Every structure is written in structure tokens, then in C-alpha cells.
Amino acid sequence: TYANRVGKGTHKALERCTEFMQKFKYVLPCDVQQFFPAIDHQILKNILSRTIADEAVLRLCGKIIDSGAGVLTEQYVMRYFDGDDLLAVNRPRGLPIGNLTSQFWANVYLNEFDHFVKRQLKCKGYIRYVDDFVLFADDKKQLHDWRDAIIAYLGKLRLTIHENRAQPRPVTQGVTFLGFTIYPTHRRLKRIKGLAYQRRLRAMYKAYLRGEVTAEAGRASVMSWLGHVRHGNTRGLVRKMFAEVKRVTVADIHENRSIDGVVIGTHNEIP
């Protein structure tokens, strides 16, 4: 997994995805439904017990896991799996989204799944970031077979994927991953992501004019966003967006192609 690990991260995952888009012919995108609300406490504890021998540590882990019971109940739509009875609805599940321990437990929960994909399915092109993952191959039928195997394996973890979205496709059609649509030659920010930040930028500028937001806070937000979107072909998007904000003019972006040293994505091709 590329999530919550030193030396990994979103941008490394995007770069790796681009490499695979250039190397393979087909891609299978998958995402787990209701991942954090669906994490089963007993299954997670069983996974930990296979690695941790110290009973005191296991008890501590158990207390942390138990503290999340019921936190995301309203977000979970009950699903029944093979062998379930009516009492399955009472199984403790769910981890608080955003907690550092939850991020770690999420990696632990799907660690054995990662090994299954790499070692048993022998998929040479595989990337996972939390509950989103993509598989690559040169054989479309192979991806269909892997899809069926993945659905069966995740069922043992009481997880499901969005099956209607998980369809093999040629890499030339692009794949949506981590907020970008990635092609073999370039990346584009998802339109919904751009529109969302555009609304946020307008609101932030109005708040600045009312004296509710400092220039430093606004600049920090902008720089953070630019640092992310520069990993795609976003020059036109950024220019259009900042044209609506008086403090940053179209001319500044067009001539300098940077704001305080952050280069805006201008790559027509990805090497």
C-alpha cells in the first residue's frame, strides 16, 4: 500500500500508476464499499493475533479497536455473507475515519489481501491506496478472472467492492485514481475536484475581504493545493480558476507559471 507509509504517499502512487499505464495494455480499477464503517473488529483482532504474541499488547490493541464500535453505524448498510445468520448485524464493526490508529489498522486489515494479489494471483502491476486499488495486465480475461477472485477473497474479510465500477478497460481510456484521471501520456485532475476547490477558493476570498481569513492562511491553502495538482496537466485549470480571484491575475500565471516558486503542471507528456 502507498498510504500512511514512510517513503510512499499519493504522489508516489500516481507516478507508479503512470508507469504501469505505459507498461500494460489493460487496467482494472477497484474500490471497497464503505471501507472504514465495514471493518470487522473480530477479523482485525484475528489478523493481529497471527503476528503479535504478547497478550498485553493484544489487549491494548483490542481496547483501541473496541473504542470505534458503532461510531460509523449510520454510514454502514448491512450486508450478509455466506454462513451469516440474523445475528450478524450485531457484529462490532467500524473504525473512526481520521484517527491515526484507524489508518494503521486499515493497512493491517488489507495487508494479507495485498499478499494474495501479489503472490497467489501473481499480479505484477498492482497499487493500493487505502481502499482504492488498481491491477494491470496485458490479458483482459486475466483481469476478469482476478476480479472474481478478489470479490471472493474480500468476502472473507466481510468487504465488498463496487462491482459495477470494477470493469477491465484499455489503458488508453484512462483510469480514475486518487483524484486524477491517468492516461499513459498525461494526467488530468478530476473535474469534480477542480470545481470543489474553485468553490472553496471563492468562499475563502470573500472571507478574506471580510477580514475573516488572513492572507497567510489563504496563501497556505493555495500553495498546498497547487503542490498537489502540479502532478497533473493542470495549467489551464489553474489559470482559469485564479482568473476569478483578484489577488492572482491571469498574467501572473501565464508569464511566471509559478506562484512563490511552486511550478504549475505544464507537462504535455509524462516521460
Side-chain angles (χ1 to χ4, degrees):
T1 176
Y2 279 75
N4 307 299
R5 292 179 61 199
V6 176
K8 299 292 185 179
T10 304
H11 301 144
K12 288 288 182 67
L14 289 171
E15 291 170 5
R16 189 63 166 164
C17 187
T18 296
E19 290 179 20
F20 286 151
M21 292 289 282
Q22 296 171 344
K23 182 178 180 180
F24 296 96
K25 295 180 180 179
Y26 298 97
V27 58
L28 172 66
C30 302
D31 65 298
V32 179
Q33 298 188 71
Q34 309 174 96
F35 180 50
F36 282 97
I39 291 178
D40 188 272
H41 288 192
Q42 189 56 54
I43 292 176
L44 177 55
K45 292 175 183 178
N46 291 344
I47 293 172
L48 290 171
S49 68
R50 291 197 285 271
T51 303
I52 301 173
D54 191 307
E55 291 296 330
V57 174
L58 285 174
R59 283 196 298 273
L60 176 60
C61 291
K63 289 182 179 179
I64 296 173
I65 294 169
D66 291 342
S67 68
V71 171
L72 301 177
T73 300
E74 295 181 357
Q75 298 181 30
Y76 181 73
V77 177
M78 181 61 195
R79 287 177 170 80
Y80 289 91
F81 297 86
D82 290 344
D84 279 353
D85 55 26
L86 294 178
L87 296 179
V89 70
N90 296 322
R91 293 180 67 99
R93 63 176 64 84
L95 297 176
I97 298 175
N99 281 14
L100 291 178
T101 52
S102 296
Q103 306 300 317
F104 177 72
W105 299 141
N107 280 344
V108 170
Y109 202 76
L110 289 180
N111 177 62
E112 293 179 355
F113 170 72
D114 293 336
H115 287 281
F116 167 75
V117 173
K118 295 294 290 184
R119 296 181 180 180
Q120 294 191 38
L121 298 185
K122 300 187 184 302
C123 176
K124 295 181 179 180
Y126 170 67
I127 308 168
R128 180 174 67 82
Y129 193 96
V130 191
D131 55 345
D132 292 325
F133 55 95
V134 285
L135 292 83
F136 296 85
D138 288 325
D139 185 347
K140 194 173 185 179
K141 182 180 182 304
Q142 179 72 84
L143 288 176
H144 277 291
D145 292 342
W146 286 348
R147 176 182 179 273
D148 293 340
I150 285 169
I151 291 172
Y153 188 96
L154 290 178
K156 300 175 184 177
L157 297 176
R158 304 188 67 81
L159 297 175
T160 57
I161 62 173
H162 289 95
E163 296 186 23
N164 59 321
R165 302 177 191 170
Q167 302 296 333
R169 68 193 66 174
V171 295
T172 52
Q173 292 183 6
V175 64
T176 299
F177 188 55
L178 301 181
F180 288 84
T181 301
I182 305 173
Y183 298 89
T185 56
H186 62 285
R187 309 183 195 115
R188 295 191 182 281
L189 187 72
K190 285 181 63 177
R191 185 171 182 271
I192 190 172
K193 297 291 185 180
L195 291 175
Y197 192 78
Q198 189 175 47
R199 289 192 294 269
R200 180 180 174 186
L201 189 62
R202 289 197 197 103
M204 186 166 54
Y205 183 63
K206 291 178 181 178
Y208 167 76
L209 294 178
R210 294 193 300 267
E212 299 171 359
V213 173
T214 65
E216 290 75 15
R219 181 176 295 276
S221 173
V222 170
M223 298 304 290
S224 175
W225 186 77
L226 286 176
H228 176 61
V229 301
R230 67 184 292 269
H231 289 269
N233 301 75
T234 53
R235 178 186 173 190
L237 171 67
V238 173
R239 183 170 54 188
K240 179 180 178 181
M241 185 174 297
F242 281 100
E244 300 185 15
V245 182
K246 296 179 181 179
R247 288 180 57 81
V248 183
T249 67
V250 176
D252 289 334
I253 296 174
H254 180 69
E255 293 175 7
N256 300 326
R257 293 186 180 179
S258 67
I259 299 176
D260 282 3
V262 176
V263 179
I264 298 169
T266 59
H267 307 292
N268 291 322
E269 294 185 355
I270 298 174

